[in-house]
Amino acid sequence: MVKIAQKNMRVVFLIILLSFIVYALITPGVCVAKLSASESGLNILRDFFGLDLDKYDVVVEENSLSEFFVVNGVQEDVLFTLTGDGAKLRIVFTFVNGDLRNMYVFENNGVPLLRQIGEDNGGGVVEAQVFLSKYEQYSAKSFFGELKASLDGVVVNKNYTKTVGNNVLEVMVYGNGETNFKWYYVVNGTMPLHANFVALGFKHGSLVSFTDTWNLYMENSNFELLKSAVPNTSEISVGLGDPSFEGVVPLFDEVEYFIVILFVVISMCCVFVAGLVLKNSLKRLYPLRGFSVKVFGVLLVFVVLLSLVGSVNALPVGVILGSRSSGASNDLYGYHSWRKTDVEISRQEYVNDFIMSNCLTVANGYAGFSNLWLNKSSVLAHAQYLGDNYDYVTVFDWDHGVGGYPGAVSPYLVPSDEIHYMFEDDWGTFNGVPSDYEIDWSHGVYDIDIYDVFAAGKVNFAFINTCLSADTELFGQGFSSSGYALGMPFAFTHRTVGYVVEGSNSTVMSDDGYNRPDAFSQCYIGFPFGSASLDQYIGYEYNWQPWYEWVVLFCYVAFNFDVSVNDAIDWTCSMQWGCSSFSVSPLQGEGFTAIWPVWDDTNKSFNAEVSNAQGLNSTLAVYGNGNIHLKNFHADHITTYPYINGSSSSDVSEVVNFSAYSVDSFGHNIRYVFDWGDGTTQTTNYTVAGVPVNVSHSWNFAGTYRVTVRAECENGAWSDQSEVYTITVGTYYKQISTIVITAIILSLIMLLIILWYRSKHENNCKNT
């Protein structure tokens, strides 16, 4: 009987153990591919575009989310990568409730999606008509035939608008070869904010994008905005909590913890029930209890921990920051703050929860932390912890931010009149009620703070949604005259922003990471001027979309698909506005109007019309390398070629000071080899990456010398050579300069004398 009992118990334990092993293997896991979306995408490639899929190797990525602005909607996205015979195609399809909402072509090298039927002199009109004609047949919707007919007689060489009944056709022609066709539905000359539209984008005659939201909002007969599109404060739970809370709140997948606990409870119940059924004494089961139960217990704990280890030890980590401007109290009028609307605070919480639940997950290679509603000391302490314990850090921030004076606050040693960039903590820098407040600079998180807590190369991606977060001109960048870090991009990356060619290994970060991405595995996104509040709507032609939706879609795409930051930006702009690319979106060019409603104490309400609530011509900037992939991020090992600074002239034997610094993507220490151009070199000791090293040199002979520097990391990786720094040495060259200047001055004096003499001579002639 004991043997039978032991055997049965072992079977029970084995089943439970295998259950945990299976759980550990699938956690974290990717959602099971939905055949409907994949098959629909394959059907479009095969039946609509006419591709012979047997000629290509096909890789499929699929994900889905509950649509956040369509009632009872589910959005399914499937990304196809086709390669074969030297050709490559990367195209994504988005379905909402089974209907195609969007397709976007990231890359097409030699795959004939739409064969041109001839020379198109209509600026893309022929390609658009071919697409609509084919899609009418494929979808069996005559509506697309009506859109095709609206293009009859249209020859596009400039922007064009045409109205047919309730449909408005707009054609936008851009200088980079892109042409956007967009059809809107209007009622009595007006349309809702969430406009119903169909959009087609072409670049140099090739299909780039197709967006169809025509039937997405038609269920609302009054064409009013759906409640889920603009929830009010009562519709979103705002966890305001205790303003004094200073703790760190790591948020992992609650569902994952629930499953673990459920497994543990079920397992213990199985053990308990098995013991009752077997009805054996503990003594008779002692051999089993003494060994097997202990072994099982150890294995059980090990497997449970194994399932969670990815959450704790993921090398990249993401953190979300945000504030409520709690110090600007507006409780008297029923609002949390007079500097931020309650709806804006709600948006912050919604976006935070979405990113934590859907993006910064173990499945995507991240540990996630939410630092909403923390004050400065906790923000910096946690940032220091993340920087010390993780290889790479991703940062999001939704906040107010412009400039402030850290020198006015102890214990900063910055000059009191030196302004620095900042974003605010939860309390904020405005302290008091609308009619009686004071500025408190101690609640600003400054560029000098961020520079100190994050080492060079530590932050792989930053999305700082504050005003002036990407500005490098108003207050400057690099190091201030007093030697302190200046500028938010420089603070997060330890790299100044400037012009570099595409693929550059320079320490200088590309000022256009979208069109000219550099090679370093680092990207920074922000606003050079005004930042969009999450609750505001940004318009593109007749189409207005809320900014928080753009942010949510961008994060969903960038973290759940193996695409670049630039691809995610393009895809999101196409989804939101029907744009063919980020370049022609309202986030670029002339930009948009950033709006932060300000409390009007006279009328006791928030007002978006006052001058300081709007930032005209605001744009979104992408710095660094927009080609990096955020999902399962990994960095290429690059030691950037150094930035060098020094004097441009000196005397013979005069000691001249130079500085140089470089950044290593793996955070390795760096030493520098200076070539002084006179046949001598100088090698420094290893120093921390991103920290300038100071050296000095003198030349024994007059002349012009070309100084260059190379950096070597402690693991032996060399950088490219720096740009040449030219210095002129010797009094001989100074004397030449003096002689030239003297000659010019004497020539001017002689010219004045001659002019004076002629004038005097002419006057004498007139008198005689």
Side-chain angles (χ1 to χ4, degrees):
M1 183 66 182
V2 174
K3 291 183 178 180
I4 296 175
Q6 291 176 346
K7 182 178 180 180
N8 290 337
M9 286 296 289
R10 288 193 180 101
V11 171
V12 173
F13 291 151
L14 181 61
I15 292 174
I16 296 172
L17 181 61
L18 288 175
S19 299
F20 275 102
I21 291 175
V22 170
Y23 170 71
L25 291 175
I26 66 173
T27 306
V30 181
C31 296
V32 177
K34 295 180 182 292
L35 295 177
S36 60
S38 297
E39 287 183 342
S40 297
L42 289 171
N43 288 340
I44 293 174
L45 292 171
R46 182 177 52 248
D47 300 334
F48 178 73
F49 289 117
L51 298 181
D52 183 357
L53 298 180
D54 292 335
K55 294 182 179 180
Y56 301 96
D57 293 325
V58 181
V59 177
V60 182
E61 287 185 67
E62 188 173 351
N63 216 312
S64 64
L65 76 160
S66 296
E67 186 67 32
F68 45 86
F69 56 86
V70 178
V71 177
N72 299 322
V74 175
Q75 176 175 308
E76 299 171 285
D77 300 277
V78 55
L79 172 64
F80 291 95
T81 302
L82 281 63
T83 54
D85 296 330
K88 183 176 182 180
L89 172 69
R90 293 174 64 241
I91 185 171
V92 64
F93 300 98
T94 297
F95 300 93
V96 173
N97 295 336
D99 292 328
L100 180 65
R101 176 189 174 186
N102 175 271
M103 71 171 73
Y104 196 86
V105 180
F106 292 122
E107 179 181 0
N108 186 0
N109 183 15
V111 179
L113 284 185
L114 285 175
R115 298 182 182 276
Q116 284 188 238
I117 61 176
E119 185 74 19
D120 182 8
N121 294 318
V125 173
V126 173
E127 286 86 351
Q129 288 181 315
V130 170
F131 180 93
L132 293 171
S133 179
K134 289 174 62 68
Y135 198 72
E136 178 188 13
Q137 299 174 21
Y138 177 81
S139 64
K141 297 178 180 179
S142 59
F143 161 72
F144 289 96
E146 299 174 15
L147 300 187
K148 172 180 177 293
S150 69
L151 291 172
D152 290 343
V154 175
V155 178
V156 175
N157 51 21
K158 60 181 180 179
N159 294 345
Y160 178 87
T161 302
K162 179 180 181 180
T163 301
V164 180
N166 286 334
N167 299 339
V168 175
L169 164 65
E170 279 212 343
V171 185
M172 303 296 291
V173 181
Y174 302 95
N176 61 355
E178 295 185 48
T179 305
N180 275 11
F181 299 87
K182 189 172 290 187
W183 293 263
Y184 299 94
Y185 185 84
V186 298
V187 177
N188 297 324
T190 62
M191 61 184 64
L193 292 178
H194 268 303
N196 303 278
F197 70 91
V198 169
L200 272 171
F202 295 88
K203 190 167 185 177
H204 302 301
S206 296
L207 176 69
V208 175
S209 62
F210 167 65
T211 306
D212 176 15
T213 68
W214 201 270
N215 295 311
L216 203 57
Y217 312 102
M218 286 296 187
E219 296 178 1
N220 186 353
S221 59
N222 295 323
F223 295 97
E224 295 174 349
L225 218 55
L226 295 176
K227 287 186 177 180
S228 57
V230 186
N232 57 41
T233 306
S234 63
E235 293 173 326
I236 291 184
S237 174
V238 186
L240 298 181
D242 181 2
S244 64
F245 174 67
E246 296 277 339
V248 173
V249 187
L251 293 181
F252 298 107
D253 194 340
E254 293 86 351
V255 176
E256 181 177 313
Y257 278 125
F258 174 76
I259 294 175
V260 173
I261 294 172
L262 183 63
F263 264 100
V264 172
V265 172
I266 292 174
S267 301
M268 298 306 294
C269 291
C270 289
V271 173
F272 179 73
V273 171
L276 292 178
V277 172
L278 292 173
K279 297 181 181 179
N280 290 298
S281 66
L282 292 176
K283 288 184 179 180
R284 297 175 67 183
L285 287 177
Y286 181 79
L288 176 65
R289 186 174 63 87
F291 173 72
S292 300
V293 174
K294 289 181 179 179
V295 173
F296 170 74
V298 172
L299 291 175
L300 181 64
V301 173
F302 173 76
V303 173
V304 172
L305 291 178
L306 178 65
S307 67
L308 297 177
V309 70
S311 297
V312 178
N313 295 326
L315 293 183
V317 63
V319 61
I320 305 173
L321 306 172
S323 76
R324 299 166 296 175
S325 299
S326 300
S329 175
N330 203 14
D331 294 337
L332 181 63
Y333 299 105
Y335 297 96
H336 182 80
S337 169
W338 54 270
R339 298 185 62 220
K340 285 184 178 176
T341 67
D342 283 1
V343 174
E344 178 67 20
I345 296 172
S346 300
R347 296 297 191 214
Q348 292 183 64
E349 187 169 70
Y350 171 79
V351 173
N352 169 83
D353 292 346
F354 180 91
I355 295 175
M356 291 301 305
S357 300
N358 297 278
C359 304
L360 298 180
T361 62
V362 181
N364 296 329
Y366 286 82
F369 290 84
S370 171
N371 271 6
L372 291 180
W373 326 144
L374 296 188
N375 282 330
K376 179 175 181 174
S377 59
S378 293
V379 170
L380 295 179
H382 193 219
Q384 186 73 61
Y385 170 81
L386 298 180
D388 292 342
N389 290 277
Y390 292 87
D391 288 348
Y392 299 99
V393 181
T394 289
V395 183
F396 294 92
D397 181 44
W398 329 112
D399 206 348
H400 280 311
V402 188
Y405 296 90
V409 182
S410 177
Y412 291 107
L413 300 179
V414 182
S416 60
D417 61 345
E418 184 173 286
I419 193 168
H420 280 261
Y421 296 90
M422 68 165 185
F423 58 83
E424 298 183 355
D425 67 2
D426 182 60
W427 189 257
T429 58
F430 285 67
N431 187 6
V433 296
S435 59
D436 184 19
Y437 66 87
E438 61 181 11
I439 303 297
D440 183 358
W441 297 122
S442 67
H443 287 278
V445 181
Y446 295 95
D447 41 25
I448 56 179
D449 299 315
I450 297 299
Y451 182 86
D452 287 341
V453 296
F454 289 129
K458 179 67 66 172
V459 175
N460 68 308
F461 178 73
F463 187 169
I464 311 302
N465 200 117
T466 72
C467 297
L468 299 184
S469 59
D471 179 65
T472 60
E473 298 179 358
L474 189 61
F475 311 142
Q477 63 170 332
F479 291 102
S480 68
S481 58
S482 60
Y484 290 92
L486 187 59
M488 279 298 172
F490 183 68
F492 278 99
T493 68
H494 289 233
R495 303 165 66 203
T496 56
V497 176
Y499 181 92
V500 295
V501 298
E502 183 176 354
S504 168
N505 286 341
S506 170
T507 304
V508 176
M509 184 165 55
S510 174
D511 59 358
D512 189 351
Y514 178 80
N515 291 302
R516 290 181 283 100
D518 58 44
F520 201 80
S521 300
Q522 194 173 52
C523 183
Y524 182 97
I525 295 180
F527 295 90
F529 183 42
S531 65
S533 58
L534 292 174
D535 188 53
Q536 82 162 88
Y537 280 70
I538 296 178
Y540 177 70
E541 300 167 14
Y542 290 112
N543 187 11
W544 293 79
Q545 301 290 348
W547 177 239
Y548 84 94
E549 281 187 10
W550 191 100
V551 173
V552 164
L553 276 175
F554 165 77
C555 293
Y556 161 70
V557 169
F559 285 91
N560 287 282
F561 290 89
D562 189 17
V563 299
S564 69
V565 171
N566 286 340
D567 284 346
I569 291 175
D570 282 337
W571 185 357
T572 307
C573 289
S574 175
M575 288 277 288
Q576 285 293 89
W577 296 299
C579 305
S580 55
S581 72
F582 172 60
S583 296
V584 299
S585 76
L587 304 177
Q588 292 285 275
E590 295 182 359
F592 63 98
T593 299
I595 299 175
W596 285 88
V598 174
W599 180 257
D600 184 347
D601 202 41
T602 301
N603 297 316
K604 310 303 179 188
S605 63
F606 284 95
N607 188 350
E609 302 300 324
V610 296
S611 59
N612 61 342
Q614 299 187 3
L616 302 177
N617 303 116
S618 297
T619 57
L620 182 68
V622 180
Y623 294 153
N625 183 3
N627 286 336
I628 65 171
H629 290 220
L630 297 183
K631 182 176 182 179
N632 297 319
F633 171 81
H634 71 276
D636 296 325
H637 188 192
I638 292 177
T639 302
T640 64
Y641 69 76
Y643 174 82
I644 182 173
N645 189 30
S647 176
S648 60
S649 63
S650 74
D651 285 328
V652 173
S653 300
E654 179 184 354
V655 176
V656 181
N657 295 320
F658 283 82
S659 67
Y661 82 98
S662 179
V663 177
D664 186 87
S665 59
F666 284 5
H668 295 156
N669 291 334
I670 295 174
R671 68 178 179 181
Y672 302 86
V673 179
F674 286 77
D675 185 335
W676 299 115
D678 59 359
T680 65
T681 61
Q682 181 177 349
T683 302
T684 70
N685 295 325
Y686 286 105
T687 59
V688 176
V691 177
V693 60
N694 297 310
V695 296
S696 59
H697 188 70
S698 63
W699 285 263
N700 296 325
F701 301 97
T704 300
Y705 296 90
R706 295 162 55 88
V707 179
T708 58
V709 187
R710 292 187 70 194
E712 181 190 17
C713 84
E714 56 192 347
N715 280 27
W718 283 89
S719 74
D720 294 335
Q721 179 181 284
S722 70
E723 296 180 354
V724 176
Y725 197 96
T726 303
I727 181 171
T728 301
V729 178
T731 55
Y732 172 72
Y733 293 91
K734 291 184 177 180
Q735 289 172 353
I736 291 177
S737 300
T738 302
I739 292 173
V740 170
I741 294 174
T742 302
I744 292 173
I745 294 174
L746 290 175
S747 298
L748 290 174
I749 293 174
M750 290 297 295
L751 180 61
L752 291 173
I753 292 174
I754 292 172
L755 292 174
W756 173 80
Y757 177 79
R758 285 185 176 179
S759 175
K760 183 177 180 180
H761 180 70
E762 290 176 356
N763 289 333
N764 291 335
C765 291
K766 290 179 180 179
N767 292 332
T768 57

